[in-house]
Amino acid sequence: MEKNFLLRAVELSKISIDENCGPFGAIIVRNGEIIAEAHNTVTRDNDPTAHAEVNAIRKAAQNLSNFDLSDCEIYTSTEPCPMCLSAIYWSRMKKVYYANTRQDAAAINFDDEYIYNELAKPIEQRELEMKKIEIPEAKEVFNLWMNKENKIEY
């Protein structure tokens, strides 16, 4: 069954190529049933976050009316990039199945190693300049959140 789900993700990656988008596809499965499927739409949508995994997560959460996908698994044509992997963690899925590795992706000019390396560095050593500015009002908003009684935790 796992191989069949992964084959569907690969089929979606082919569809993505036909639409002149990156060669990536993903599906989300719950209890042996496909909940959502998607492919990369970065160039079509002019959205750098429209990776197959993120698109599938968005659809699954909408289809289930729930941001918690802890009872789901994701099948993706390629090992998730750092952004997609973060989204998978945020969605709480416990398992990722993938076909191509990130090294395979790098071999066709989809190389995320730069991002992996940057994330491992302390903030002050990263190439992307980040500057913290003290604003008391920002802390006040966090205090409002902490004291809110009917908040939805995630």
Side-chain angles (χ1 to χ4, degrees):
M1 193 72 135
E2 294 167 353
K3 187 174 180 181
N4 290 337
F5 288 138
L6 203 49
L7 283 169
R8 179 61 186 150
V10 171
E11 286 175 22
L12 291 165
S13 69
K14 284 175 142 177
I15 292 169
S16 193
I17 290 173
D18 291 342
E19 294 185 13
N20 206 22
C21 294
F24 307 101
I27 67 168
I28 296 179
V29 174
R30 182 174 75 168
N31 300 325
E33 179 186 345
I34 296 174
I35 301 302
E37 55 181 42
H39 61 77
N40 181 293
T41 59
V42 168
T43 56
R44 184 191 77 194
D45 297 346
N46 290 315
D47 179 352
T49 69
H51 291 200
E53 298 89 340
V54 171
N55 288 343
I57 289 168
R58 289 173 178 157
K59 287 180 180 180
Q62 185 175 38
N63 291 344
L64 297 173
S65 298
N66 195 343
F67 57 84
D68 182 346
L69 303 178
S70 58
D71 58 351
C72 298
E73 300 172 331
I74 190 165
Y75 293 77
T76 180
S77 61
T78 306
E79 181 180 351
C81 75
M83 176 186 68
C84 293
L85 190 57
S86 295
I88 291 165
Y89 274 104
W90 275 110
S91 70
R92 298 186 177 116
M93 281 184 275
K94 303 292 186 223
K95 198 168 225 178
V96 177
Y97 297 90
Y98 65 94
N100 293 316
T101 65
R102 70 190 207 207
Q103 292 81 11
D104 295 329
I108 62 163
N109 297 319
F110 288 94
D111 191 352
D112 298 321
E113 205 59 37
Y114 165 76
I115 299 171
Y116 283 104
N117 292 337
E118 281 291 295
L119 290 173
K121 294 177 185 177
I123 287 176
E124 60 278 355
Q125 293 178 13
R126 294 181 186 164
E127 289 186 33
L128 177 63
E129 184 178 344
M130 296 179 69
K131 183 176 181 178
K132 182 177 182 334
I133 298 173
E134 289 293 330
I135 298 182
E137 293 84 355
K139 292 280 194 246
E140 289 174 19
V141 172
F142 274 15
N143 287 334
L144 284 172
W145 172 257
M146 284 300 297
N147 295 321
K148 183 174 174 62
E149 291 185 22
N150 62 343
K151 64 185 168 209
I152 298 172
E153 302 273 354
Y154 63 96

